[in-house]
Amino acid sequence: GLAGSAGYFLPALKPDRLGERVLENMFVAKDWTAANKILSAVFKEANDDFSCAGFLVLDRMSKRDPKGKWLFFLAASPLVFSLPEHSVSLMEFSALLTEKALQIQPFLKEDKIIAKSHRGTLLNDLSVRLYNLGRREDALQAAKAAVEINRGLVAVQPDAFRPDLATSLNNIAKFFSGLGRREEAWKV
């Protein structure tokens, strides 16, 4: 939690309207330090239910302000790699945040191999999220881009990136199959 100015203790943010507005106001005011403290308090727990509740708050905020610059702040945070994979209520938010992360990812200062690895992971995650949203062709394109990146990484460090390539190839085969393109699925 956070210590208030009067020394009282604020518990970690829960999915309530007051907490949402406090966080939203911090984002609007671009008070990234305070927003980051609250997000750290919400997502520090390993409890999936607690994290899911925090993501639901962020999802409601994104519906009120879908083009808000605060989404890029979230997309640049490690939270983008913690989004729940199997949450029906968070499918759209997860896809939105992953797309934002891919938009800003080239501008982050990371080691080239790490940056490519993160991009491949984000594309792979996005492909699954788009597929689950029924956006099959978009999912296939994201998966193909992930395969391309992962093939390049396997050429440099085979042992480290072969599992990522296998996951991406598996996704492509699944997506082809889901599109009724069984012959192409078998070729993958």
Side-chain angles (χ1 to χ4, degrees):
L2 301 172
S5 58
Y8 56 88
F9 180 81
L10 297 175
L13 180 66
K14 294 189 178 178
D16 61 41
R17 301 297 180 205
L18 177 60
E20 287 178 41
R21 292 296 180 195
V22 168
L23 185 58
E24 203 167 340
N25 288 339
M26 287 178 188
F27 282 133
V28 169
K30 295 184 177 134
D31 189 350
W32 307 125
T33 303
N36 195 43
K37 283 181 184 177
I38 287 182
L39 290 173
S40 295
V42 171
F43 294 101
K44 75 176 177 182
E45 300 292 323
N47 179 337
D48 285 341
D49 292 337
F50 195 64
S51 291
C52 192
F55 281 120
L56 287 170
V57 168
L58 297 172
D59 175 52
R60 282 193 296 271
M61 286 173 54
S62 74
K63 285 182 174 53
R64 287 192 297 270
D65 185 16
K67 296 183 186 217
K69 295 197 184 309
W70 65 273
L71 287 166
F72 290 103
F73 169 77
L74 281 180
S77 77
L79 285 179
V80 76
F81 294 104
S82 302
L83 291 163
E85 290 187 30
H86 305 290
S87 172
V88 173
S89 60
L90 291 172
M91 265 195 258
E92 287 181 31
F93 177 69
S94 295
L96 172 72
L97 201 57
T98 305
E99 286 172 332
K100 298 284 186 199
L102 283 163
Q103 287 175 13
I104 64 166
Q105 200 259 344
F107 303 106
L108 300 177
K109 296 184 189 310
E110 297 177 308
D111 173 76
K112 197 170 189 173
I113 297 288
I114 292 171
K116 283 185 179 182
S117 173
H118 283 169
R119 188 159 190 83
T121 299
L122 288 168
L123 283 163
N124 213 24
D125 291 349
L126 180 62
S127 72
V128 172
R129 290 175 177 137
L130 292 173
Y131 186 85
N132 290 338
L133 285 168
R135 295 170 53 190
R136 307 287 200 252
E137 288 293 336
D138 293 336
L140 185 58
Q141 294 309 312
K144 285 180 178 180
V147 165
E148 185 178 318
I149 288 170
N150 288 323
R151 279 195 173 129
L153 290 168
V154 165
V156 176
Q157 295 181 9
D159 292 339
F161 296 108
R162 198 172 283 126
D164 295 337
L165 177 58
T167 299
S168 298
L169 289 168
N170 184 55
N171 285 342
I172 285 182
K174 175 184 166 185
F175 301 158
F176 274 137
S177 182
L179 288 165
R181 296 159 61 180
R182 309 244 188 277
E183 196 65 35
E184 290 169 279
W186 279 106
K187 289 178 185 177
V188 172

